[in-house]
Amino acid sequence: MTFTKGLGYLTISWGIIAYGWVFLFTSIEVNQGISQKIMYLHVPVILTSYLAILVLFISSIGYLLTLKSNYDMLAVASAEQAVLYLAIALISGSIWGKPTWNTYWTWDARLTISLITFIFFSGYLLFRFLGPVGEKQSKAAAVLAILGFFAVPLNHLAVNWFNTLHQKTTIFRSDPLIDNELYYPLLACMAFFFFLFLWLLILRVKLGIYKKKHLIKLFS
Amino acid sequence: MIFTLEYWRKEFLLHWRQPQKLLSILLLATLMLTLFHFALGARDKQEFSIGIYWVQFLIIGALSLQSIMVSDERAGMSSLIKISKNSPLLVYGSRLVAILIFWAICQGLQLILVGILYDARFLSELGWLFLVVIACGAGFLGLGLSVATAMSNYPFLEFILPLVVFPMVLPIFLSGIQIFEGLLYGEPSISPWLKLLALSDLIFVVGGGILYYLID
């Protein structure tokens, strides 16, 4: 069994266990009711999207320094996943917002930043896929990704100076503001999405390498 | 250096020799202001003047960048940069200054137009507002120019360019809007927004230069 296959099995079984735990063994939250279960999707996907953006940033730097195409493939693969997870986070957040804030959308700081980040990385993917393939385009995309990475905290700073409806940091602090009964299944769901990200990343890069080899054979 | 100045002059004249470009931008701005008048109806127009101006800023920005792309595509700009003996960074700097001057003329006239048609306070603070607009234009056009050049041969370029550029330069827009508010209403305090604008300008002008260099 290869590493990728093993990781695939681990991801799927971990997902079944984590979400089984969430739906079968975790109590329903008193104030929000069943809608609180969306948290187990919303929080892990937004964090995984940040991880994907970080990988995109590092691989873009790697590409500019070495000009190795594997870094470029890694950048595309992580950008694709970043966009996917951001889309899921926006949709799930919107669904969660209706019962808790009584609205599907509000121009809250974090929501606005997530939307802007989603639009930017979607634009980045269009930049990658609609244009000609080549070193020049890959270099330009790498610089855009790096600039986009720096734009995220700038946007965060700018938008956060407005008032926000969103709650402050709940999980990543020394004393998490969440009960252990909800906290541990949430960590399990986060681990599932991190495994899923890694698994899909490896598969996508392998596909990219295969496609490249195939094209070289086809044209040689 | 002389050659760079010559390049800058040519680039500026390229825009200036097409007065219909400036005229069409101003006509479009007037049309938008008229439409906003109908949309707002009897409501207090001064309340919306800042928003209206910045919507125009965005649209004119998109149009200017698109016109750069079209002229780049026609002129084969990438090939020209390759055969030019100048450093791409000097070419970038000269082009940026030339476009910024054209942009400043457009935006200055629009500020006056908004001042006349919507909000007279725009005219009393015209000098400061104009400086803010120039500062916002530097970062926005710095990045936009490089991305536009990189994408000059793209299909659907008029749609993708704003998608790539606008989300990144959002801090510039937000700073500009807040500084306008501060200048016209006295609130909020403009100093943190000025710092954010300066930082954003630095990142996007330098980042735009690096991108331009790498396109070569």
Side-chain angles (χ1 to χ4, degrees):
Chain A
M1 188 162 61
T2 61
F3 173 75
T4 318
K5 258 191 181 170
L7 186 62
Y9 287 129
L10 174 72
T11 306
I12 292 166
S13 32
W14 191 283
I16 292 168
I17 293 167
Y19 283 95
W21 187 1
V22 166
F23 285 102
L24 300 176
F25 302 106
T26 309
S27 340
I28 292 175
E29 208 264 342
V30 184
N31 296 315
Q32 296 182 36
I34 192 78
S35 68
Q36 182 269 335
K37 301 281 183 202
I38 298 173
M39 179 184 80
Y40 299 104
L41 173 69
H42 181 73
V43 177
V45 286
I46 194 76
L47 290 174
T48 315
S49 73
Y50 292 159
L51 176 69
I53 292 169
L54 182 69
V55 174
L56 168 63
F57 172 68
I58 294 167
S59 48
S60 297
I61 292 177
Y63 179 74
L64 283 180
L65 292 177
T66 63
L67 292 182
K68 283 184 179 166
S69 63
N70 285 1
Y71 283 112
D72 194 37
M73 283 174 202
L74 193 62
V76 177
S78 38
E80 283 171 344
Q81 288 207 65
V83 169
L84 174 73
Y85 293 132
L86 280 168
I88 296 172
L90 284 168
I91 295 166
S92 61
S94 189
I95 295 168
W96 195 13
K98 185 65 182 163
T100 48
W101 295 341
N102 197 29
T103 177
Y104 286 112
W105 184 263
T106 175
W107 292 102
D108 163 75
R110 284 198 209 176
L111 269 71
T112 313
I113 293 161
S114 304
L115 181 65
I116 292 162
T117 313
F118 170 74
I119 295 172
F120 170 72
F121 285 106
S122 304
Y124 169 87
L125 283 182
L126 286 173
F127 180 85
R128 301 296 315 236
F129 294 137
L130 286 177
V133 180
E135 194 182 284
K136 187 182 116 178
Q137 235 51 40
S138 299
K139 275 184 189 173
V143 177
L144 277 180
I146 293 165
L147 283 175
F149 182 82
F150 284 118
V152 171
L154 270 186
N155 277 336
H156 189 83
L157 187 69
V159 182
N160 242 347
W161 282 348
F162 292 94
N163 285 334
T164 176
L165 253 185
H166 215 287
Q167 74 269 22
K168 302 285 175 219
T169 305
T170 315
I171 298 161
F172 292 108
R173 44 188 292 159
S174 54
D175 52 335
L177 298 174
I178 182 170
D179 191 80
N180 282 347
E181 197 193 340
L182 308 178
Y183 183 55
Y184 292 125
L186 181 62
L187 287 182
C189 294
M190 281 181 201
F192 161 67
F193 273 98
F194 290 155
F195 287 142
L196 185 67
F197 167 71
L198 193 63
W199 182 39
L200 293 179
L201 194 72
I202 294 169
L203 284 178
R204 183 67 180 85
V205 171
K206 276 187 171 176
L207 180 68
I209 293 169
Y210 174 80
K211 268 167 106 177
K212 197 179 161 197
K213 271 185 191 166
H214 198 69
L215 281 176
I216 289 170
K217 267 186 194 169
L218 203 69
F219 290 106
S220 59
Chain B
M1 187 64 189
I2 294 165
F3 191 82
T4 313
L5 280 173
E6 183 63 16
Y7 193 93
W8 171 82
R9 197 178 67 86
K10 277 182 184 163
E11 183 74 33
F12 181 66
L13 287 177
L14 195 71
H15 288 288
W16 206 235
R17 274 182 191 152
Q18 296 171 304
Q20 64 271 33
K21 200 190 268 181
L22 182 65
L23 192 66
S24 56
I25 285 174
L26 288 174
L27 282 174
L28 186 70
T30 317
L31 181 69
M32 278 172 59
L33 290 176
T34 316
L35 282 174
F36 272 121
H37 159 71
F38 289 121
L40 294 173
R43 273 167 281 188
D44 180 14
K45 303 229 173 10
Q46 281 198 1
E47 212 179 302
F48 299 95
S49 56
I50 294 177
I52 290 168
Y53 173 76
W54 282 94
V55 169
Q56 286 199 101
F57 184 100
L58 231 160
I59 291 177
I60 302 305
L63 288 175
S64 307
L65 288 175
Q66 194 191 336
S67 101
I68 295 166
M69 283 191 291
V70 171
S71 57
D72 276 1
E73 195 174 15
R74 282 187 195 148
M77 187 51 76
S78 306
S79 328
L80 283 177
I81 295 171
K82 269 184 189 163
I83 57 170
S84 159
K85 284 178 184 170
N86 278 309
S87 149
L89 286 177
L90 281 178
V91 176
Y92 166 77
S94 337
R95 292 193 78 196
L96 180 58
V97 172
I99 292 162
L100 197 59
I101 290 174
F102 179 76
W103 164 270
I105 293 166
C106 289
Q107 293 299 331
L109 290 171
Q110 277 186 80
L111 279 173
I112 295 170
L113 211 58
V114 175
I116 293 168
L117 297 175
Y118 277 78
D119 192 345
R121 287 172 303 172
F122 269 64
L123 299 176
S124 56
E125 295 286 346
L126 193 63
W128 291 114
L129 296 182
F130 185 65
L131 283 178
V132 174
V133 168
I134 302 292
C136 292
F140 170 56
L141 292 175
L143 181 68
L145 169 68
S146 301
V147 178
T149 310
M151 292 170 76
S152 54
N153 52 353
Y154 269 51
F156 318 118
L157 39 82
E158 57 275 46
F159 298 106
I160 311 167
L161 184 80
L163 279 179
V164 175
V165 176
F166 288 162
M168 270 206 271
V169 296
L170 186 86
I172 289 181
F173 285 106
L174 273 178
S175 309
I177 292 166
Q178 292 301 308
I179 296 169
F180 263 48
E181 290 259 356
L183 287 171
L184 297 179
Y185 293 98
E187 265 186 290
S189 159
I190 60 170
S191 73
W193 295 103
L194 278 174
K195 283 177 197 160
L196 183 65
L197 179 59
L199 180 67
S200 310
D201 267 349
L202 183 73
I203 290 176
F204 294 125
V205 170
V206 173
I210 295 169
L211 181 58
Y212 208 90
Y213 181 79
L214 287 170
I215 296 165
D216 182 27

